Amino acid sequence: MKKERIVSIAIVMLILLLFLTYSPPSTSSQIGFAFFALSLGALIVELWILAPSMATIEKRVPLFRKPFFRFFSRKLAFLFVAIFFSFTLLFILPYLMPTNPVDMMIARVSAGQQDVSRLLAMRNEYIVLFGLDKPLIEQYGLFWKRVLTLDFGPSIAYNRSVGSLVGQALVWTLALIIPVLILEFTVGTSLGARVAFSKNRFLRAIYTFSVYLSSAPYYWFGLILAYIFAVNLRWFPIYGGYSLFVKPSFSLSFFLDVAYHWVLPFLSLFIAGLGGWCSGMRAMTIYERQSDYIYYSQQMGFTRNKLRKYAQRNAILPMITGVPAMFGSLIGQTMLVEYVFGWPGLGTLLFGSVQAIDYPLMQGIFVFTVLVVLVGNFLIDILYGFIDPRIRTGYVGG
Amino acid sequence: MSTRIELLAKNRKFQICLAIVLAIVAFGIIGPFFTRDPLEYAGGIYEPPSSEFLLGTDMAGRDVFAQLCVGVRDSLFVGVIAGSLALGIAILMGGVLSYKKGMIDEGANLVTNIFLVLPVLVILIVIAALLEGRSLITVGILIALFSWPWMARNIRSQILSLRERKFVDLARISGKSDFTIVTKEILPNMLAYVFLLFIMATGWAVVTESSISMIGLGPTTGFTLGNMLRLAIEWGALGRGAWWYFMPPGLVIVLFTGTLIILTSVIDDVLNPKVRTE
């Protein structure tokens, strides 16, 4: 234990030394450095203090004797470390690639241009804009400043600020993803629990079908729905988030119009994702069904339905811990479904930015998506801490 | 071990699932030898299925059935590359590093958890957009780099329980290195499980490949199922009602991955004595 403490102190000293000797000239990159140091601090706290077993933490840090506080601080440390890690990854990515984004953008623009001097001027403009002429360490600071202020400059393809573009699209995406996540979870877990307790053939058929579909690419499912309900039956519109000649406004008619367009993308995400929750919940319920209290209740002569309710309540807790991993993949799937239906969310925007090699916009979408996913997960985790009595009472650590 | 395989071979569900998977693999390997060139302009625009074109033609009069054969082959190729590479990373991160207790295990676990919650598709799209030429192998490697975390997590939980067994203690006392203990003593004990993970990773990789291909960031060489879906969407197969263009590639993917899921649960049921008594 002693050795670890020395190492952690050494690392903190090294960061401080780096910070003092370099002392970035601009305040903007100082923000970046502050966050950098904070994240590394969080990493050290997570690995050296919070991660070791419960008994040793309580001896060392009296503050962490409260189980919920320990749980909360672990999750908070994880949030910081994850944000730091993923955005650093985003910063490094272009440097690992054979061609840098600036040259790719220039190549795209230059297709119809003959004027070399103008292209060179444009290239220089981008280099200054991204701060590529500065030393690497300051670029890193500037990058963090852009991320923390959520200011990525103007988008090249849309000629608007990236922040406003992404913020607008994010609302559309969340309008799709939050109902999907909530409904999928509630319907999926209750169906899974029912299947574990009943021998109803119809239920089993639905279960098998949804598990089978859960591996389908969601967007393909969207294509099928669009083909059946939009092309053949013409019940629902095939494209867009609202009708062509309607102006977005806060009115009932606009809202209804959006809801009308919302049905098909929602359905394709909902149906395709149901199976994963079903199968997980079924396995957990079967496991729970073998426990003593269920056996006892069974001997007491409780009805099957009552038993299911008891088992369901306990089996649902581990399922909530699965939500974070699901959220990350669901947001990706949502983007693809959006692209198929032309829903004006992040997915369609991302596709547009990829087509135009609009790197600032891509960066902005990446940052917003990762932030939404990580902060959302953090909130779900904390909610879990409130729901599960075992975490409040310290029955299980972290 | 032989009795286990006998148990499996007798299981009717297992036989059916295995037959479907093998049929799809055979379709991809043998199929392309018997069809015409998938890029040859052979027929009219969006011709419906007929005896000459089993699945009709696409917007340029190319044979959809031939495209499907090649697509299955290339998609499976990407899937197997990504699956095996991801398994390797997962064994390293979840197995070898988790075997060492303390800091290294915690660090590896932390990295795994971070990768687990990241929106993989978004990262893949950003990376793929920055890469200009993408071969099947590059795309396979890319998918592998971001699909290992859940496998690593599963392997880790297995390793944590196996680590405490007597035979591992014995190996440790006899002075074997940690790496040898994990690869020679522990992994053979969870071979069936590792195989299940590989199957699932392959299925997952096929779906992911189709997803990134669908928005035009898949392999630039080769012709995968995702490429077919992209062409179908871009050239308005949906609006023209050309179901024979966008249905088959998705159906093959669903059939393949769905059967793999059922297959893994069947293997799990048969090999896991706890569940078998159910």
Side-chain angles (χ1 to χ4, degrees), chain A residues 27-256:
Chain A
T27 47
S28 57
S29 40
Q30 268 168 0
I31 305 173
F33 265 91
F35 194 85
F36 178 72
L38 195 67
S39 306
L40 270 180
L43 182 70
I44 288 159
V45 167
E46 158 72 18
L47 285 182
W48 265 274
I49 300 173
L50 296 170
S53 71
M54 234 164 84
T56 49
I57 316 162
E58 293 193 356
K59 248 184 247 163
R60 254 189 289 164
V61 193
L63 192 64
F64 290 116
R65 237 168 248 159
K66 279 206 166 142
F68 187 78
F69 182 74
R70 189 172 63 236
F71 174 77
F72 182 81
S73 46
R74 272 208 81 164
K75 296 298 174 195
L76 194 67
F78 179 76
L79 177 70
F80 268 101
V81 174
I83 287 179
F84 168 71
F85 186 88
S86 45
F87 291 165
T88 302
L89 183 74
L90 176 66
F91 174 74
I92 297 171
L93 271 181
Y95 296 95
L96 300 177
M97 297 297 161
T99 48
N100 71 42
V102 171
D103 284 342
M104 279 179 87
M105 285 188 290
I106 296 296
R108 172 57 63 98
V109 176
S110 69
Q113 289 270 353
Q114 298 301 319
D115 192 357
V116 181
S117 65
R118 243 200 98 213
L119 285 177
L120 274 178
M122 216 167 136
R123 188 166 186 273
N124 285 333
E125 204 175 292
Y126 280 138
I127 284 175
V128 173
L129 185 72
F130 293 123
L132 291 178
D133 48 347
K134 299 193 175 72
L136 197 63
I137 203 155
E138 204 183 329
Q139 283 181 39
Y140 190 59
L142 282 172
F143 169 78
W144 272 109
K145 186 206 161 205
R146 284 205 297 277
V147 168
L148 291 176
T149 54
L150 295 178
D151 174 21
F152 300 93
S155 149
I156 291 155
Y158 294 86
N159 218 355
R160 268 173 64 191
S161 91
V162 168
S164 75
L165 268 172
V166 178
Q168 201 179 18
L170 190 65
V171 176
W172 286 91
T173 297
L174 288 180
L176 205 53
I177 201 170
I178 289 176
V180 166
L181 199 65
I182 293 172
L183 276 175
E184 231 171 51
F185 184 79
T186 47
V187 175
T189 50
S190 96
L191 182 62
R194 265 161 225 274
V195 166
F197 265 92
S198 106
K199 295 223 158 17
N200 187 332
R201 285 214 150 177
F202 179 65
L203 264 183
R204 295 210 157 232
I206 294 183
Y207 170 77
T208 316
F209 186 64
S210 62
V211 170
Y212 206 85
L213 275 183
S214 69
S215 61
Y218 291 29
Y219 68 88
W220 179 74
F221 205 67
L223 278 179
I224 302 298
L225 285 182
Y227 179 65
I228 297 172
F229 292 109
V231 176
N232 276 358
L233 297 174
R234 295 186 182 280
W235 286 356
F236 293 104
I238 191 170
Y239 198 82
Y242 45 86
S243 297
L244 208 54
F245 302 107
V246 178
K247 255 193 162 180
S249 60
F250 281 103
S251 64
L252 187 68
S253 62
F254 177 69
F255 183 77
L256 285 177

Side-chain angles (χ1 to χ4, degrees), chain A residues 330-394:
Chain A
L330 185 63
I331 207 161
Q333 301 287 356
T334 309
M335 287 183 165
L336 296 174
V337 170
E338 278 174 6
Y339 167 60
V340 167
F341 286 101
W343 182 260
L346 285 177
T348 313
L349 197 63
L350 182 64
F351 180 71
S353 72
V354 164
Q355 290 285 300
I357 317 185
D358 185 348
Y359 193 68
L361 188 54
M362 264 152 71
Q363 223 177 25
I365 294 171
F366 182 97
V367 166
F368 268 88
T369 320
V370 169
L371 271 184
V372 165
V373 168
L374 290 179
V375 173
N377 286 342
F378 175 69
L379 294 179
I380 293 167
D381 275 335
I382 297 307
L383 188 74
Y384 179 66
F386 276 112
I387 297 171
D388 192 343
R390 284 171 291 194
I391 284 176
R392 279 202 304 270
T393 53

Side-chain angles (χ1 to χ4, degrees), chain A residues 212 215 219-220 224 227 289, chain B residues 210 243 246-247 257-259 278:
Chain A
Y212 206 85
S215 61
Y219 68 88
W220 179 74
I224 302 298
Y227 179 65
R289 208 177 61 181
Chain B
S210 82
W243 55 266
F246 63 84
M247 284 280 257
T257 53
T259 312
E278 272 293 306

